[in-house]
Amino acid sequence: MNAPIRPKDRDAVLQSLRAGVVPRAGQHLIQVGRGREIEALVADIDRVADGGSSFRFVIGEYGAGKTFFLNLIRAIGMERKLVVANADLNPDRRLHASGGQARSLYAELMRNLATRTKSEGGALSGVVEKFIATAKSEAKAQNLSTDQVIRSKLEQLTELVNGYDFADVIATYCRGVEEGNEQRKSDAVRWLRGEFATRTDARAALGVRTIVDDASIYDQLKLMARFVRLAGYAGLFVCLDEMVNLYKLSNSQARSSNYEQILRMLNDSLQGTAMGLGFVLGGTPEFLMDTRRGIYSYSALQSRLAQNAFATNELVDFSGPVLRLSSLTVEDFYLLLGKIRHVYAAGDPTRYLLPDPAIASFMEHCANRIGDSFFRTPRTTITSFINLLAILEQNPGTDWKSLIGELRVEADEGGKSDLAVDPEDELASFRL
């Protein structure tokens, strides 16, 4: 607990929290609770790394910490040598569409592709380069040409949908490396990212007949999962947040098509046919359980995702595809504020700006102002706490008691937007 915290990690955590967003790095510094939930997802990661597949919904109320939890799992996945891709769904990024929204989601995932050495995304070229380096090492050990080894390794991809073209694109990138042709490499990466809008352009640039389109993004993810394993990584782990945006679609056909895609992904995972590929999807209880618009409105998914009937009262089951996150407790929130204080002090208890009683007083003040939402949806409360620490740091000798008494804290009302439905015109069913 008293180990020094690097300024880079300290600033990443504090700046994110102060802005009201979830940190992308240093999550372990402020993690509280969730021990068994983390164990369940780590087991998923290990299964993917062993060549299996996984699929998990992470369900929690607004403010329960879903995004933080997903980012933590993302970081653990990279530490376990997985390639991790993440994206938030929105009206322009969906799992299924015919107007480019699904391809847009895939492109976002590829832009955010991350590894342990490139944790902020943009790792796609590095993955391909590592595949080439691995092939060269094997070629040298076996006294074969690099091209022979590359073609042999890529052969197993051809059994999958679009596998031939995927293999050709990788081979084109390899030739670009050998020839020093940056255009070849750039075109290959564009295809892998799903950035070609027409088959004509792809054929002119790469000689392939297919592109990543709305109908093929899941097949492309399965190809990518196989490929990253060939490159020496353990597998591909995909984190999708803000799934509530599917619930908010007003067009029933659009929702059903997206839920059908989820069913396909879930079935493949349960049957173990998506080698080295894992999914974790974050959403609200309404997104899952609403029988009119949510996942439960799709009967095939409802039957597969129904809660274990024996998991009642104090009994829990973390083995099913749905993992439910409870909101923070008062005790959890006290520990969280203590960890934030510790991060602010860069890991040095002698530099704490507030004593323990001050944390309790801060929580009591917040409870009096906005009720128990101060710890159930704590975004604005955490921001206020960091602002308090900032004032104390920059104004030595200031009495924390007087500051807390004057503190204004507002309830976080952001969750109300989760139930808002996006308007769509009467022709939407023909487009989607």
Side-chain angles (χ1 to χ4, degrees):
M1 182 71 176
N2 295 335
I5 297 171
R6 294 185 304 170
K8 176 183 176 182
D9 292 336
R10 173 190 181 273
D11 293 344
V13 170
L14 295 177
Q15 289 173 5
S16 297
L17 293 178
R18 194 170 187 179
V21 298
V22 175
R24 290 289 295 271
Q27 300 96 337
H28 62 286
L29 297 172
I30 55 172
Q31 169 63 27
V32 294
R34 310 283 193 229
R36 296 185 66 183
E37 291 90 339
I38 291 172
E39 287 178 7
L41 267 295
V42 169
D44 288 353
I45 289 171
D46 290 341
R47 189 181 311 115
V48 171
D50 195 37
S53 55
S54 72
F55 188 97
R56 188 84 68 155
F57 283 103
V58 173
I59 301 297
E61 299 281 358
Y62 175 83
K66 293 184 299 298
T67 301
F68 181 91
F69 185 80
L70 292 182
N71 281 355
L72 181 63
I73 296 305
R74 174 180 174 274
I76 294 172
M78 286 186 284
E79 287 299 316
R80 299 295 179 99
K81 298 183 179 180
L82 292 177
V83 176
V84 179
N86 69 283
D88 291 349
L89 271 68
N90 63 32
D92 294 320
R93 293 201 289 262
R94 307 176 192 171
L95 289 169
H96 182 279
S98 60
Q101 297 94 335
R103 185 167 65 89
S104 176
L105 174 63
Y106 178 83
E108 181 71 7
L109 287 170
M110 292 301 104
R111 281 192 291 269
N112 293 335
L113 206 69
T115 62
R116 184 166 52 178
T117 57
K118 200 156 187 179
S119 60
E120 294 304 311
L124 181 56
S125 295
V127 171
V128 180
E129 298 274 1
K130 184 174 181 182
F131 169 77
I132 296 171
T134 301
K136 287 182 175 180
S137 297
E138 292 184 14
K140 185 176 181 180
Q142 299 172 21
N143 198 27
L144 298 171
S145 70
T146 301
D147 187 64
Q148 280 181 292
V149 173
I150 286 175
R151 285 295 179 180
S152 175
K153 291 167 73 71
L154 294 176
E155 180 67 26
Q156 63 178 275
L157 300 182
T158 60
E159 67 187 59
L160 300 177
V161 176
N162 287 356
Y164 280 103
D165 283 343
F166 189 99
D168 283 344
V169 170
I170 298 297
T172 297
Y173 188 100
C174 296
R175 287 196 299 272
V177 171
E178 293 173 353
E179 299 167 2
N181 189 327
E182 293 299 322
Q183 187 61 49
R184 279 185 184 272
K185 293 165 59 177
S186 175
D187 288 340
V189 169
R190 284 183 60 208
W191 190 93
L192 293 170
R193 286 179 179 162
E195 293 177 0
F196 279 103
T198 68
R199 291 175 174 82
T200 302
D201 290 342
R203 186 163 59 249
L206 297 163
V208 296
R209 295 180 176 275
T210 61
I211 59 172
V212 181
D213 56 21
D214 283 333
S216 64
I217 69 162
Y218 176 50
D219 294 312
Q220 196 74 10
L221 288 173
K222 290 197 287 187
L223 275 167
M224 189 59 68
R226 292 276 192 100
F227 176 69
V228 300
R229 289 176 63 83
L230 292 177
Y233 295 95
L236 177 65
F237 206 70
V238 179
C239 301
L240 297 174
D241 202 1
E242 302 296 341
M243 296 298 293
V244 72
N245 279 288
L246 301 184
Y247 167 90
K248 291 161 67 175
L249 291 173
S250 64
N251 184 272
S252 60
Q253 183 179 339
R255 291 197 307 273
S256 294
S257 297
N258 277 271
Y259 294 160
E260 186 174 354
Q261 184 77 296
I262 291 174
L263 175 64
R264 182 187 172 201
M265 294 156 59
L266 176 61
N267 285 341
D268 279 359
S269 174
L270 295 177
Q271 294 165 2
T273 59
M275 181 183 297
L277 178 60
F279 289 95
V280 56
L281 283 58
T284 60
E286 291 80 14
F287 159 71
L288 176 70
M289 300 180 68
D290 190 314
T291 55
R292 189 172 65 90
R293 325 175 50 86
I295 287 286
Y296 276 14
S297 68
Y298 200 82
S299 58
L301 280 171
Q302 182 178 7
S303 62
R304 287 164 174 78
L305 301 176
Q307 185 172 350
N308 187 334
F310 295 100
T312 57
N313 300 324
E314 300 297 320
L315 303 178
V316 295
D317 176 16
F318 294 118
S319 64
V322 176
L323 189 151
R324 288 174 168 81
L325 294 182
S326 58
S327 298
L328 290 176
T329 65
V330 176
E331 293 77 12
D332 289 334
F333 193 66
Y334 181 85
L335 292 174
L336 174 60
L337 294 184
K339 290 195 172 190
I340 292 173
R341 176 186 65 174
H342 188 71
V343 171
Y344 207 100
D348 183 359
T350 64
R351 295 173 55 191
Y352 284 174
L353 296 168
L354 286 171
D356 290 347
I359 297 179
S361 295
F362 174 83
M363 292 174 60
E364 182 180 1
H365 175 78
C366 292
N368 291 335
R369 293 280 301 186
I370 60 175
D372 64 6
S373 66
F374 85 90
F375 66 88
R376 295 188 183 278
T377 53
R379 190 191 314 261
T380 56
T381 316
I382 290 171
T383 297
S384 298
F385 186 72
I386 296 176
N387 288 339
L388 172 63
L389 293 174
I391 292 296
L392 292 172
E393 180 185 41
Q394 297 171 65
N395 300 272
T398 303
D399 181 15
W400 61 263
K401 295 179 182 178
S402 62
L403 288 178
I404 290 178
E406 299 172 359
L407 183 67
R408 296 186 63 182
V409 182
E410 303 294 335
D412 187 351
E413 304 289 347
K416 292 181 178 179
S417 65
D418 282 354
L419 301 181
V421 175
D422 292 336
E424 291 185 298
D425 61 54
E426 60 184 3
L427 299 178
S429 60
F430 294 100
R431 297 199 312 267
L432 303 171

